Amino acid sequence: MSSGSEDLSEISCEEDLAEVEDYLHGELDPDRARLLATHLSTCSPCWNRAEFARKLKDIVRVKCRSQTPEHLVVRIKETIRRETIRGPGGTDFL
């Protein structure tokens, strides 16, 4: 990553797009994030790509959130309990 001492003329679309994910995750240093934000605000193709990436990230976050079915939770707990009682090497502790 850069030191943030660059001026805006040194930020290319290629560099911007390569760092969009880091920018969206808040992983860039503040100076670099400001430079990218400025570039995005003045370059509509880059802004569109960044906006697409942001929306896709939000969709994946929402759609991939699921609840484990209760019957599966019960089976897992029963299996853990049986294995705990059985102990290492298959010997019963009880």
Side-chain angles (χ1 to χ4, degrees):
M1 278 193 222
S2 92
S3 65
S5 61
E6 305 164 272
D7 69 22
L8 292 176
S9 64
E10 294 181 36
I11 297 178
S12 70
C13 293
E14 186 176 311
E15 288 174 315
D16 181 44
L17 294 175
E19 293 183 326
V20 162
E21 288 297 319
D22 292 338
Y23 174 74
L24 293 174
H25 292 141
E27 297 172 351
L28 293 180
D29 66 75
D31 290 335
R32 186 66 179 173
R34 269 191 297 281
L35 289 173
L36 284 169
T38 300
H39 178 84
L40 291 172
S41 71
T42 61
C43 180
S44 61
C46 286
W47 185 87
N48 289 333
R49 297 270 307 267
E51 186 63 10
F52 174 82
R54 184 193 63 77
K55 286 179 181 179
L56 179 61
K57 180 182 164 208
D58 288 345
I59 289 169
V60 168
R61 180 181 42 80
V62 169
K63 296 293 183 183
C64 290
R65 197 179 320 168
S66 65
Q67 199 69 5
T68 305
E70 185 61 29
H71 73 277
L72 182 57
V73 171
V74 169
R75 282 182 55 201
I76 292 170
K77 286 180 179 180
E78 287 174 356
T79 301
I80 292 170
R81 185 183 57 76
R82 278 195 307 271
E83 292 300 315
T84 302
I85 290 172
R86 185 174 302 156
T91 57
D92 288 338
F93 284 133
L94 298 178

